[in-house]
Amino acid sequence: MVAGEFGLGKSTLVNSLFLNDLYKERKLLNAEERIKQTVEITKHTVDIEEKGVKLKLTIVDVPGFGDAINNTECWTPVTDYINQQFEQYFRDESGLNRKNIQDNRVHCCLYFISPFGQGLRPIDVEFMKALQDKVNVVPLIAKADCLTPSEIKKLKEQVREEIDKYGIKIYQFPDCDSDEDEEIKQQDKGLKESLPFAVIGGNTVVEVRGQRVRGRLYPWGIVEVENPSHCDFGKLRNMLIRTHMHDLKDTTNDCHYENYRAQCIQNMTSKMNADKRVESPIPILPLSTPAVETENLIKKKDEELRRMQQMLQKMQQQMHGQDL
């Protein structure tokens, strides 16, 4: 998932990460249309191949986020979407056919921070705090080519201080094993020190010292997207696709999803104790289905449960009669 206000280069960075144009049919809105726009959820699927391994990734974008005059609770559609994916996975996991469960849970949220401000804005703090217990949040400083190296270093330090100050829980890189190679340890240390990643996006091919590279051409020189001395794009891409993809998924499954699952089971237990009857083993949360269909589905499930209870009571009575 990618999130952040309009104009921070989210689409460009996504296209740069996966060497694809995922926004061919995107319509650029004028000022009047942007005022009326609400926060939406759009999904794009991309197939990539890394070192012979084929991967199918789903990119979730949040157009309209932070663009309104009043941005109160503007992150609600995002948290609702993440909860819906958790709920669908919980339903599939609780069903009879669990062999081919499709995992559409959000494993990582790249949050774009503006390079033009003085650290985190209130909306940045509230958004990351709203998502910190639901998804792995990775903060990024967008459009790093707008800043000098010293400004980037200063902004990174300020963002890290404010993350600690406000108690924001971002994705924590796992520690290396003590027997790992020194090169791996240095890479791990470099990743941790680079947060928040200062990134630049661009798919334009330019020539630098006789070599063709992806970059951005300015009157004062060329910024290379994949040059580690220019930005952290390479570190981010390696982290997402190569080195930490499995850890992101494991953290989602073992931490965020388990917390959601435990809360659902606790809510079901509370309802059972309050109503003195057996509730459906699947939590009923608002989905994108019409309210009438959802209500009918609940009634059908209740009727099935009642029939099963009656059958169990009859079987118990028969067994008790045989024992006598």
Side-chain angles (χ1 to χ4, degrees), residues 1-3 39-41 60-62 65 73-85 106 109 127 131 134-135:
M1 174 180 284
V2 290
V39 179
E40 301 175 356
I41 301 292
V60 183
D61 199 355
V62 192
F65 172 78
E73 302 288 332
C74 63
W75 48 83
T76 300
V78 181
T79 56
D80 287 347
Y81 175 81
I82 295 173
N83 284 335
Q84 286 176 11
Q85 306 315 305
V106 181
C109 175
F127 180 88
L131 266 67
K134 300 178 182 295
V135 67

PDB file of all heavy atoms in Angstrom, residues 1-3 39-41 60-62 65 73-85 106 109 127 131 134-135:
ATOM      1  N   MET A   1       0.846  -1.186   0.000  1.00  0.00           N
ATOM      2  CA  MET A   1       0.000   0.000   0.000  1.00  0.00           C
ATOM      3  C   MET A   1       0.885   1.241   0.000  1.00  0.00           C
ATOM      4  O   MET A   1       1.905   1.288   0.679  1.00  0.00           O
ATOM      5  CB  MET A   1      -0.921   0.003   1.229  1.00  0.00           C
ATOM      6  CG  MET A   1      -1.748   1.276   1.378  1.00  0.00           C
ATOM      7  SD  MET A   1      -2.838   1.275   2.810  1.00  0.00           S
ATOM      8  CE  MET A   1      -4.129   0.203   2.222  1.00  0.00           C
ATOM      9  N   VAL A   2       0.483   2.242  -0.799  1.00  0.00           N
ATOM     10  CA  VAL A   2       1.187   3.524  -0.814  1.00  0.00           C
ATOM     11  C   VAL A   2       0.197   4.608  -0.408  1.00  0.00           C
ATOM     12  O   VAL A   2      -0.944   4.626  -0.867  1.00  0.00           O
ATOM     13  CB  VAL A   2       1.793   3.837  -2.200  1.00  0.00           C
ATOM     14  CG1 VAL A   2       2.944   2.909  -2.501  1.00  0.00           C
ATOM     15  CG2 VAL A   2       0.748   3.735  -3.310  1.00  0.00           C
ATOM     16  N   ALA A   3       0.617   5.504   0.486  1.00  0.00           N
ATOM     17  CA  ALA A   3      -0.269   6.550   0.972  1.00  0.00           C
ATOM     18  C   ALA A   3       0.521   7.833   1.171  1.00  0.00           C
ATOM     19  O   ALA A   3       1.716   7.809   1.472  1.00  0.00           O
ATOM     20  CB  ALA A   3      -0.934   6.136   2.285  1.00  0.00           C
ATOM     21  N   VAL A  39     -11.580  10.098  -0.391  1.00  0.00           N
ATOM     22  CA  VAL A  39     -10.531   9.084  -0.300  1.00  0.00           C
ATOM     23  C   VAL A  39     -11.043   7.775  -0.898  1.00  0.00           C
ATOM     24  O   VAL A  39     -12.107   7.283  -0.532  1.00  0.00           O
ATOM     25  CB  VAL A  39     -10.109   8.864   1.164  1.00  0.00           C
ATOM     26  CG1 VAL A  39      -9.036   7.789   1.251  1.00  0.00           C
ATOM     27  CG2 VAL A  39      -9.597  10.168   1.760  1.00  0.00           C
ATOM     28  N   GLU A  40     -10.300   7.224  -1.837  1.00  0.00           N
ATOM     29  CA  GLU A  40     -10.682   5.982  -2.501  1.00  0.00           C
ATOM     30  C   GLU A  40      -9.596   4.932  -2.299  1.00  0.00           C
ATOM     31  O   GLU A  40      -8.493   5.231  -1.865  1.00  0.00           O
ATOM     32  CB  GLU A  40     -10.896   6.213  -4.006  1.00  0.00           C
ATOM     33  CG  GLU A  40     -11.977   7.243  -4.338  1.00  0.00           C
ATOM     34  CD  GLU A  40     -12.051   7.519  -5.822  1.00  0.00           C
ATOM     35  OE1 GLU A  40     -11.200   6.963  -6.569  1.00  0.00           O
ATOM     36  OE2 GLU A  40     -12.925   8.278  -6.248  1.00  0.00           O
ATOM     37  N   ILE A  41      -9.941   3.701  -2.644  1.00  0.00           N
ATOM     38  CA  ILE A  41      -8.982   2.602  -2.614  1.00  0.00           C
ATOM     39  C   ILE A  41      -8.917   2.010  -4.009  1.00  0.00           C
ATOM     40  O   ILE A  41      -9.933   1.569  -4.557  1.00  0.00           O
ATOM     41  CB  ILE A  41      -9.401   1.509  -1.603  1.00  0.00           C
ATOM     42  CG1 ILE A  41      -9.517   2.081  -0.186  1.00  0.00           C
ATOM     43  CG2 ILE A  41      -8.406   0.352  -1.640  1.00  0.00           C
ATOM     44  CD1 ILE A  41      -8.217   2.504   0.434  1.00  0.00           C
ATOM     45  N   VAL A  60      -1.813  -1.263  -3.608  1.00  0.00           N
ATOM     46  CA  VAL A  60      -3.028  -0.562  -3.186  1.00  0.00           C
ATOM     47  C   VAL A  60      -2.707   0.915  -3.046  1.00  0.00           C
ATOM     48  O   VAL A  60      -1.812   1.293  -2.287  1.00  0.00           O
ATOM     49  CB  VAL A  60      -3.560  -1.115  -1.844  1.00  0.00           C
ATOM     50  CG1 VAL A  60      -4.859  -0.424  -1.456  1.00  0.00           C
ATOM     51  CG2 VAL A  60      -3.763  -2.623  -1.930  1.00  0.00           C
ATOM     52  N   ASP A  61      -3.419   1.743  -3.803  1.00  0.00           N
ATOM     53  CA  ASP A  61      -3.196   3.189  -3.762  1.00  0.00           C
ATOM     54  C   ASP A  61      -4.380   3.865  -3.070  1.00  0.00           C
ATOM     55  O   ASP A  61      -5.485   3.319  -3.034  1.00  0.00           O
ATOM     56  CB  ASP A  61      -3.038   3.739  -5.185  1.00  0.00           C
ATOM     57  CG  ASP A  61      -2.354   5.096  -5.202  1.00  0.00           C
ATOM     58  OD1 ASP A  61      -2.097   5.644  -4.115  1.00  0.00           O
ATOM     59  OD2 ASP A  61      -2.087   5.618  -6.307  1.00  0.00           O
ATOM     60  N   VAL A  62      -4.114   5.056  -2.528  1.00  0.00           N
ATOM     61  CA  VAL A  62      -5.150   5.786  -1.775  1.00  0.00           C
ATOM     62  C   VAL A  62      -5.273   7.195  -2.345  1.00  0.00           C
ATOM     63  O   VAL A  62      -4.882   8.171  -1.697  1.00  0.00           O
ATOM     64  CB  VAL A  62      -4.813   5.846  -0.264  1.00  0.00           C
ATOM     65  CG1 VAL A  62      -6.012   6.346   0.534  1.00  0.00           C
ATOM     66  CG2 VAL A  62      -4.370   4.494   0.249  1.00  0.00           C
ATOM     67  N   PHE A  65      -6.241  11.068  -0.500  1.00  0.00           N
ATOM     68  CA  PHE A  65      -5.872  11.178   0.908  1.00  0.00           C
ATOM     69  C   PHE A  65      -5.184  12.506   1.183  1.00  0.00           C
ATOM     70  O   PHE A  65      -4.236  12.882   0.498  1.00  0.00           O
ATOM     71  CB  PHE A  65      -4.947  10.024   1.308  1.00  0.00           C
ATOM     72  CG  PHE A  65      -4.362  10.174   2.686  1.00  0.00           C
ATOM     73  CD1 PHE A  65      -5.116   9.875   3.803  1.00  0.00           C
ATOM     74  CD2 PHE A  65      -3.068  10.650   2.875  1.00  0.00           C
ATOM     75  CE1 PHE A  65      -4.596  10.028   5.074  1.00  0.00           C
ATOM     76  CE2 PHE A  65      -2.535  10.803   4.134  1.00  0.00           C
ATOM     77  CZ  PHE A  65      -3.314  10.495   5.244  1.00  0.00           C
ATOM     78  N   GLU A  73     -10.435  12.207  10.248  1.00  0.00           N
ATOM     79  CA  GLU A  73     -10.768  10.790  10.033  1.00  0.00           C
ATOM     80  C   GLU A  73     -10.613  10.372   8.560  1.00  0.00           C
ATOM     81  O   GLU A  73     -11.280   9.434   8.111  1.00  0.00           O
ATOM     82  CB  GLU A  73     -12.191  10.482  10.503  1.00  0.00           C
ATOM     83  CG  GLU A  73     -12.455  10.788  11.965  1.00  0.00           C
ATOM     84  CD  GLU A  73     -11.769   9.807  12.908  1.00  0.00           C
ATOM     85  OE1 GLU A  73     -11.548   8.664  12.510  1.00  0.00           O
ATOM     86  OE2 GLU A  73     -11.461  10.210  14.056  1.00  0.00           O
ATOM     87  N   CYS A  74      -9.751  11.033   7.812  1.00  0.00           N
ATOM     88  CA  CYS A  74      -9.623  10.688   6.390  1.00  0.00           C
ATOM     89  C   CYS A  74      -8.946   9.338   6.185  1.00  0.00           C
ATOM     90  O   CYS A  74      -8.935   8.800   5.075  1.00  0.00           O
ATOM     91  CB  CYS A  74      -8.855  11.780   5.643  1.00  0.00           C
ATOM     92  SG  CYS A  74      -7.157  12.000   6.195  1.00  0.00           S
ATOM     93  N   TRP A  75      -8.378   8.778   7.266  1.00  0.00           N
ATOM     94  CA  TRP A  75      -7.728   7.476   7.164  1.00  0.00           C
ATOM     95  C   TRP A  75      -8.716   6.328   7.382  1.00  0.00           C
ATOM     96  O   TRP A  75      -8.345   5.172   7.248  1.00  0.00           O
ATOM     97  CB  TRP A  75      -6.609   7.385   8.202  1.00  0.00           C
ATOM     98  CG  TRP A  75      -7.056   7.812   9.567  1.00  0.00           C
ATOM     99  CD1 TRP A  75      -7.710   7.076  10.505  1.00  0.00           C
ATOM    100  CD2 TRP A  75      -6.906   9.122  10.121  1.00  0.00           C
ATOM    101  NE1 TRP A  75      -7.983   7.824  11.613  1.00  0.00           N
ATOM    102  CE2 TRP A  75      -7.493   9.100  11.413  1.00  0.00           C
ATOM    103  CE3 TRP A  75      -6.318  10.301   9.674  1.00  0.00           C
ATOM    104  CZ2 TRP A  75      -7.519  10.227  12.236  1.00  0.00           C
ATOM    105  CZ3 TRP A  75      -6.349  11.414  10.497  1.00  0.00           C
ATOM    106  CH2 TRP A  75      -6.944  11.358  11.756  1.00  0.00           C
ATOM    107  N   THR A  76      -9.975   6.634   7.707  1.00  0.00           N
ATOM    108  CA  THR A  76     -10.957   5.588   7.997  1.00  0.00           C
ATOM    109  C   THR A  76     -11.146   4.617   6.831  1.00  0.00           C
ATOM    110  O   THR A  76     -11.189   3.402   7.043  1.00  0.00           O
ATOM    111  CB  THR A  76     -12.304   6.217   8.401  1.00  0.00           C
ATOM    112  OG1 THR A  76     -12.106   7.024   9.569  1.00  0.00           O
ATOM    113  CG2 THR A  76     -13.331   5.139   8.719  1.00  0.00           C
ATOM    114  N   PRO A  77     -11.283   5.089   5.558  1.00  0.00           N
ATOM    115  CA  PRO A  77     -11.404   4.128   4.447  1.00  0.00           C
ATOM    116  C   PRO A  77     -10.213   3.180   4.352  1.00  0.00           C
ATOM    117  O   PRO A  77     -10.366   2.023   3.950  1.00  0.00           O
ATOM    118  CB  PRO A  77     -11.502   5.030   3.212  1.00  0.00           C
ATOM    119  CG  PRO A  77     -12.021   6.327   3.719  1.00  0.00           C
ATOM    120  CD  PRO A  77     -11.436   6.490   5.080  1.00  0.00           C
ATOM    121  N   VAL A  78      -9.033   3.658   4.743  1.00  0.00           N
ATOM    122  CA  VAL A  78      -7.835   2.813   4.677  1.00  0.00           C
ATOM    123  C   VAL A  78      -7.891   1.722   5.750  1.00  0.00           C
ATOM    124  O   VAL A  78      -7.659   0.543   5.475  1.00  0.00           O
ATOM    125  CB  VAL A  78      -6.562   3.669   4.839  1.00  0.00           C
ATOM    126  CG1 VAL A  78      -5.316   2.788   4.740  1.00  0.00           C
ATOM    127  CG2 VAL A  78      -6.514   4.772   3.802  1.00  0.00           C
ATOM    128  N   THR A  79      -8.212   2.119   6.988  1.00  0.00           N
ATOM    129  CA  THR A  79      -8.299   1.127   8.070  1.00  0.00           C
ATOM    130  C   THR A  79      -9.441   0.149   7.813  1.00  0.00           C
ATOM    131  O   THR A  79      -9.320  -1.043   8.117  1.00  0.00           O
ATOM    132  CB  THR A  79      -8.490   1.822   9.432  1.00  0.00           C
ATOM    133  OG1 THR A  79      -9.649   2.659   9.387  1.00  0.00           O
ATOM    134  CG2 THR A  79      -7.277   2.664   9.773  1.00  0.00           C
ATOM    135  N   ASP A  80     -10.551   0.637   7.250  1.00  0.00           N
ATOM    136  CA  ASP A  80     -11.669  -0.255   6.925  1.00  0.00           C
ATOM    137  C   ASP A  80     -11.244  -1.287   5.886  1.00  0.00           C
ATOM    138  O   ASP A  80     -11.603  -2.472   5.986  1.00  0.00           O
ATOM    139  CB  ASP A  80     -12.866   0.544   6.399  1.00  0.00           C
ATOM    140  CG  ASP A  80     -13.572   1.325   7.494  1.00  0.00           C
ATOM    141  OD1 ASP A  80     -13.293   1.051   8.683  1.00  0.00           O
ATOM    142  OD2 ASP A  80     -14.388   2.208   7.166  1.00  0.00           O
ATOM    143  N   TYR A  81     -10.482  -0.834   4.869  1.00  0.00           N
ATOM    144  CA  TYR A  81     -10.028  -1.766   3.831  1.00  0.00           C
ATOM    145  C   TYR A  81      -9.118  -2.842   4.418  1.00  0.00           C
ATOM    146  O   TYR A  81      -9.265  -4.035   4.114  1.00  0.00           O
ATOM    147  CB  TYR A  81      -9.286  -1.000   2.730  1.00  0.00           C
ATOM    148  CG  TYR A  81      -8.675  -1.896   1.687  1.00  0.00           C
ATOM    149  CD1 TYR A  81      -9.445  -2.404   0.647  1.00  0.00           C
ATOM    150  CD2 TYR A  81      -7.328  -2.266   1.756  1.00  0.00           C
ATOM    151  CE1 TYR A  81      -8.897  -3.243  -0.302  1.00  0.00           C
ATOM    152  CE2 TYR A  81      -6.772  -3.095   0.807  1.00  0.00           C
ATOM    153  CZ  TYR A  81      -7.553  -3.585  -0.219  1.00  0.00           C
ATOM    154  OH  TYR A  81      -6.999  -4.431  -1.148  1.00  0.00           O
ATOM    155  N   ILE A  82      -8.177  -2.441   5.278  1.00  0.00           N
ATOM    156  CA  ILE A  82      -7.270  -3.413   5.899  1.00  0.00           C
ATOM    157  C   ILE A  82      -8.051  -4.407   6.751  1.00  0.00           C
ATOM    158  O   ILE A  82      -7.799  -5.624   6.710  1.00  0.00           O
ATOM    159  CB  ILE A  82      -6.202  -2.680   6.738  1.00  0.00           C
ATOM    160  CG1 ILE A  82      -5.309  -1.827   5.837  1.00  0.00           C
ATOM    161  CG2 ILE A  82      -5.345  -3.681   7.520  1.00  0.00           C
ATOM    162  CD1 ILE A  82      -4.347  -0.935   6.592  1.00  0.00           C
ATOM    163  N   ASN A  83      -9.029  -3.916   7.514  1.00  0.00           N
ATOM    164  CA  ASN A  83      -9.859  -4.801   8.339  1.00  0.00           C
ATOM    165  C   ASN A  83     -10.673  -5.770   7.485  1.00  0.00           C
ATOM    166  O   ASN A  83     -10.869  -6.925   7.861  1.00  0.00           O
ATOM    167  CB  ASN A  83     -10.796  -3.974   9.215  1.00  0.00           C
ATOM    168  CG  ASN A  83     -10.079  -3.350  10.402  1.00  0.00           C
ATOM    169  OD1 ASN A  83      -9.044  -3.850  10.850  1.00  0.00           O
ATOM    170  ND2 ASN A  83     -10.605  -2.255  10.903  1.00  0.00           N
ATOM    171  N   GLN A  84     -11.160  -5.301   6.349  1.00  0.00           N
ATOM    172  CA  GLN A  84     -11.931  -6.174   5.461  1.00  0.00           C
ATOM    173  C   GLN A  84     -11.065  -7.310   4.919  1.00  0.00           C
ATOM    174  O   GLN A  84     -11.535  -8.448   4.785  1.00  0.00           O
ATOM    175  CB  GLN A  84     -12.520  -5.358   4.312  1.00  0.00           C
ATOM    176  CG  GLN A  84     -13.700  -4.493   4.726  1.00  0.00           C
ATOM    177  CD  GLN A  84     -14.198  -3.629   3.596  1.00  0.00           C
ATOM    178  OE1 GLN A  84     -13.807  -3.808   2.433  1.00  0.00           O
ATOM    179  NE2 GLN A  84     -15.062  -2.673   3.915  1.00  0.00           N
ATOM    180  N   GLN A  85      -9.801  -7.010   4.612  1.00  0.00           N
ATOM    181  CA  GLN A  85      -8.907  -8.076   4.134  1.00  0.00           C
ATOM    182  C   GLN A  85      -8.622  -9.076   5.249  1.00  0.00           C
ATOM    183  O   GLN A  85      -8.557 -10.284   5.008  1.00  0.00           O
ATOM    184  CB  GLN A  85      -7.595  -7.480   3.611  1.00  0.00           C
ATOM    185  CG  GLN A  85      -7.767  -6.412   2.546  1.00  0.00           C
ATOM    186  CD  GLN A  85      -8.769  -6.794   1.482  1.00  0.00           C
ATOM    187  OE1 GLN A  85      -8.680  -7.841   0.842  1.00  0.00           O
ATOM    188  NE2 GLN A  85      -9.760  -5.931   1.261  1.00  0.00           N
ATOM    189  N   VAL A 106      -2.816  -6.672   3.611  1.00  0.00           N
ATOM    190  CA  VAL A 106      -1.811  -5.644   3.304  1.00  0.00           C
ATOM    191  C   VAL A 106      -0.596  -5.893   4.193  1.00  0.00           C
ATOM    192  O   VAL A 106      -0.693  -5.836   5.423  1.00  0.00           O
ATOM    193  CB  VAL A 106      -2.378  -4.228   3.558  1.00  0.00           C
ATOM    194  CG1 VAL A 106      -1.329  -3.180   3.205  1.00  0.00           C
ATOM    195  CG2 VAL A 106      -3.645  -4.013   2.739  1.00  0.00           C
ATOM    196  N   CYS A 109       2.851  -0.764   4.280  1.00  0.00           N
ATOM    197  CA  CYS A 109       2.321   0.538   3.868  1.00  0.00           C
ATOM    198  C   CYS A 109       3.479   1.522   3.758  1.00  0.00           C
ATOM    199  O   CYS A 109       4.144   1.833   4.757  1.00  0.00           O
ATOM    200  CB  CYS A 109       1.284   1.042   4.870  1.00  0.00           C
ATOM    201  SG  CYS A 109       0.687   2.716   4.504  1.00  0.00           S
ATOM    202  N   PHE A 127      -2.255   9.519  10.937  1.00  0.00           N
ATOM    203  CA  PHE A 127      -2.395   8.412   9.990  1.00  0.00           C
ATOM    204  C   PHE A 127      -1.543   7.217  10.405  1.00  0.00           C
ATOM    205  O   PHE A 127      -2.026   6.085  10.456  1.00  0.00           O
ATOM    206  CB  PHE A 127      -1.996   8.862   8.578  1.00  0.00           C
ATOM    207  CG  PHE A 127      -2.113   7.775   7.541  1.00  0.00           C
ATOM    208  CD1 PHE A 127      -3.301   7.560   6.872  1.00  0.00           C
ATOM    209  CD2 PHE A 127      -1.033   6.950   7.241  1.00  0.00           C
ATOM    210  CE1 PHE A 127      -3.413   6.555   5.929  1.00  0.00           C
ATOM    211  CE2 PHE A 127      -1.133   5.949   6.303  1.00  0.00           C
ATOM    212  CZ  PHE A 127      -2.340   5.749   5.639  1.00  0.00           C
ATOM    213  N   LEU A 131      -2.700   3.328  11.752  1.00  0.00           N
ATOM    214  CA  LEU A 131      -2.372   2.096  11.031  1.00  0.00           C
ATOM    215  C   LEU A 131      -1.310   1.258  11.723  1.00  0.00           C
ATOM    216  O   LEU A 131      -1.065   0.124  11.305  1.00  0.00           O
ATOM    217  CB  LEU A 131      -1.887   2.427   9.618  1.00  0.00           C
ATOM    218  CG  LEU A 131      -2.952   2.393   8.520  1.00  0.00           C
ATOM    219  CD1 LEU A 131      -3.968   3.509   8.725  1.00  0.00           C
ATOM    220  CD2 LEU A 131      -2.325   2.511   7.145  1.00  0.00           C
ATOM    221  N   LYS A 134      -2.108  -2.327  12.565  1.00  0.00           N
ATOM    222  CA  LYS A 134      -2.793  -3.083  11.526  1.00  0.00           C
ATOM    223  C   LYS A 134      -1.877  -3.491  10.380  1.00  0.00           C
ATOM    224  O   LYS A 134      -2.164  -4.449   9.670  1.00  0.00           O
ATOM    225  CB  LYS A 134      -3.962  -2.256  10.959  1.00  0.00           C
ATOM    226  CG  LYS A 134      -5.014  -1.870  12.002  1.00  0.00           C
ATOM    227  CD  LYS A 134      -6.104  -1.016  11.388  1.00  0.00           C
ATOM    228  CE  LYS A 134      -7.121  -0.590  12.440  1.00  0.00           C
ATOM    229  NZ  LYS A 134      -7.862  -1.743  12.986  1.00  0.00           N
ATOM    230  N   VAL A 135      -0.788  -2.751  10.180  1.00  0.00           N
ATOM    231  CA  VAL A 135       0.074  -3.007   9.022  1.00  0.00           C
ATOM    232  C   VAL A 135       1.485  -2.515   9.333  1.00  0.00           C
ATOM    233  O   VAL A 135       1.687  -1.681  10.218  1.00  0.00           O
ATOM    234  CB  VAL A 135      -0.500  -2.276   7.775  1.00  0.00           C
ATOM    235  CG1 VAL A 135      -0.400  -0.774   7.934  1.00  0.00           C
ATOM    236  CG2 VAL A 135       0.191  -2.726   6.492  1.00  0.00           C
TER     237      VAL A 135
END
